[in-house]
Structure formats: structure tokens, C-alpha cells
């Protein structure tokens, strides 16, 4: 569990500004936590005044604000009312999980961009020319479809070995490999020709020279 592995005090320092807490409220929360750790179940303004320089009436106001902001709560435990910081802790742990997820998404995005730039470069190196916008788009679609960088580059090498230097040739190889894998695993292929037909339609619209030359080779 996240809460068991993290010190909420660290998370509180990191996030109190985001939670719109004042420094006075921050200090009060730390002192409340200290008293709870010392075995004091019910935290009052009078108790806090033993560790704080503020007047009791001002501490009372701070406690009311923390309760309103749902940073603290008063619950019944064994027929006694006690002070708890659980609302604050749950909020901090949730913020941590959101931050962690965002970091993971950023890392995945950076890895994706690194992979795709690597593929672009290798395609241009193997083909000996710059890629067209439609070719960049096609490579992205392969990645979206689930092909790995390794499989895509293997298909490129296979196409070049057959002296076919078009992305349509690479696409045909990827499609055939997928069908073959499906047949080996399931006994049938769930991939139909629709995706391939969409490629042909896109090629017609783009009307790029690299397609026209290699299409004749592929027939």
C-alpha cells in the first residue's frame, strides 16, 4: 500500500502549497501529528497551545479552517471522539499516485518519441532518402497497431532483401507476418484486408512518386 511506504510529512511539505495551506496551518498539522504519535487521541486548541506561541482563540480558528478544508476530522473510536489526520493522508497519497502516473506517462511518451525517431532514422538510412509526410504517418500507424520497433525494422530489411524499397512493401510483410502468427496461435486470422485497403486509398490520395514506382514492382 502506498501509505505504508511513504512518510506523509514529506508529501505534506511537497504539496501544502498546492493544497492551499498556509505555513501556520502546516505547522499546526505537524504539531497535531506529533501529539497523536505521543498517544493523545483528542487534539484541542488548549493542548496545541502547549507547543505553539499563538493564542488559544487563534489556534481554534486554525483548527476550524483545517476541518473545513477536510485536512483533519473528528471521529468516534471506542465511544470516544478522537482527532484524525486520515483525510489529509488520503489526499496526499492520492496526489502522489497522480504525480507518479503523470511521470510514468511522460516516460512512456519520451520512450515512444525516442523509438519512433530511431525508426525514422533507420528507414531513411536503409532507403537512402528522406521520408515523406505520408510515410511518417504510416510508421506511426504501425506502432499504434502494436508492431514493435524490432518487427518493423525486420520487415524493412525483408523488403529491401527483395529489392522493394516502399513502405507498402513493408506493410505487406507486416500484414503477412501477423496473419501467420494468428494462424499459428488461433488457427485463423482476425486481420482482414480492410487495413491494407485503407493504405491503398491513402496512397492514391497522396500520389507520391515512391508509391507509383514500387507499386509496379509489388504486382
Amino acid at each position: 500500500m502506498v501509505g505504508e511506504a511513504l512518510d506523509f510529512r514529506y508529501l505534506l511539505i511537497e504539496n501544502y502549497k498546492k493544497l492551499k495551506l498556509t505555513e501556520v496551518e502546516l505547522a499546526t498539522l505537524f504539531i497535531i501529528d506529533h501529539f497523536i504519535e505521543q498517544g493523545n487521541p483528542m487534539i484541542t486548541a488548549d493542548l496545541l497551545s502547549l507547543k505553539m506561541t499563538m493564542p488559544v482563540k487563534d489556534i481554534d480558528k486554525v483548527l476550524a479552517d483545517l476541518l473545513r478544508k477536510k485536512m483533519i476530522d473528528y471521529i468516534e473510536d471506542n465511544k470516544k471522539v478522537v482527532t484524525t489526520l486520515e483525510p489529509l493522508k488520503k489526499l496526499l497519497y492520492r496526489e502522489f499516485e497522480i504525480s507518479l502516473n503523470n511521470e510514468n506517462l511522460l516516460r512512456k511518451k519520451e520512450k515512444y518519441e525516442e523509438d519512433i525517431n530511431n525508426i525514422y532514422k533507420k528507414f531513411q538510412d536503409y532507403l537512402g532518402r528522406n521520408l515523406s509526410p505520408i510515410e511518417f504517418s504510416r510508421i506511426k500507424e504501425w506502432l499504434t497497431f502494436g508492431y514493435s520497433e524490432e518487427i518493423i525494422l525486420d520487415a524493412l530489411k525483408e523488403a529491401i532483401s527483395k529489392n522493394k524499397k516502399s513502405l507498402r512493401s513493408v506493410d505487406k510483410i507486416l500484414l503477412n507476418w501477423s496473419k501467420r502468427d494468428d494462424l499459428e496461435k488461433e488457427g485463423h486470422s482476425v486481420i482482414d484486408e480492410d487495413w491494407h485497403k485503407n493504405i491503398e486509398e491513402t496512397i492514391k490520395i497522396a500520389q507520391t512518386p515512391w508509391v507509383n514506382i514500387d507499386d509496379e514492382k509489388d504486382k
Side-chain angles (χ1 to χ4, degrees):
M1 184 177 177
V2 175
E4 297 175 351
L6 292 172
D7 186 345
F8 100 96
R9 301 167 191 84
Y10 166 80
L11 295 178
L12 181 55
I13 292 174
E14 289 292 312
N15 291 280
Y16 84 92
K17 183 177 180 180
K18 185 176 181 180
L19 297 177
K20 297 182 179 180
L21 294 170
T22 67
E23 278 73 19
V24 171
E25 290 170 334
L26 176 67
T28 303
L29 287 167
F30 280 134
I31 297 172
I32 290 173
D33 178 62
H34 171 73
F35 276 121
I36 292 175
E37 289 290 323
Q38 294 298 313
N40 297 279
M42 182 63 179
I43 311 302
T44 64
D46 288 329
L47 182 61
L48 290 172
S49 68
L50 298 176
K51 296 291 184 179
M52 302 177 71
T53 59
M54 295 172 60
V56 173
K57 65 176 183 177
D58 291 341
I59 298 175
D60 253 332
K61 184 179 182 304
V62 173
L63 288 175
D65 288 340
L66 290 174
L67 184 62
R68 177 179 55 81
K69 293 180 179 180
K70 298 182 179 179
M71 300 292 135
I72 64 174
D73 198 6
Y74 297 97
I75 62 173
E76 186 175 320
D77 184 25
N78 292 326
K79 297 182 179 181
K80 293 182 179 179
V81 177
V82 300
T83 306
T84 177
L85 293 174
E86 284 305 307
L88 171 62
K89 292 180 179 181
K90 288 180 180 179
L91 183 60
L92 289 172
Y93 297 147
R94 185 167 69 246
E95 287 294 327
F96 173 77
E97 290 175 345
I98 291 172
S99 175
L100 188 62
N101 287 336
N102 288 340
E103 288 181 9
N104 288 336
L105 288 175
L106 180 60
R107 281 195 291 268
K108 287 180 180 179
K109 180 181 178 183
E110 291 173 347
K111 179 65 167 59
Y112 171 81
E113 291 176 351
E114 180 182 344
D115 287 348
I116 201 166
N117 286 332
N118 183 51
I119 294 176
Y120 288 160
K121 184 178 184 304
K122 289 190 176 180
F123 262 76
Q124 291 180 150
D125 289 343
Y126 276 108
L127 298 177
R129 59 175 174 78
N130 293 328
L131 298 177
S132 69
I134 194 70
E135 290 175 302
F136 282 124
S137 177
R138 180 55 56 210
I139 293 173
K140 282 186 177 181
E141 287 188 20
W142 290 336
L143 290 170
T144 301
F145 195 69
Y147 293 115
S148 67
E149 176 184 351
E150 182 182 3
I151 292 296
I152 293 172
L153 293 177
D154 284 346
L156 172 62
K157 295 173 185 177
E158 177 78 12
I160 290 175
S161 71
K162 297 178 179 178
N163 200 31
K164 295 182 178 181
K165 296 184 177 182
S166 73
L167 265 70
R168 184 181 179 189
S169 299
V170 176
D171 187 79
K172 284 183 176 180
I173 292 170
L174 289 172
L175 185 64
N176 289 334
W177 285 354
S178 293
K179 287 182 176 180
R180 179 196 62 195
D181 292 343
D182 285 345
L183 287 170
E184 290 178 354
K185 294 177 182 178
E186 307 293 341
H188 67 281
S189 177
V190 297
I191 298 178
D192 56 29
E193 296 295 332
D194 289 343
W195 198 54
H196 184 64
K197 289 177 182 177
N198 289 337
I199 295 171
E200 293 181 338
E201 184 64 26
T202 303
I203 289 172
K204 290 179 182 178
I205 296 172
Q207 294 182 344
T208 51
W210 60 270
V211 173
N212 295 333
I213 294 172
D214 290 304
D215 280 353
E216 294 301 321
K217 293 180 180 180
D218 291 334
K219 291 180 179 178

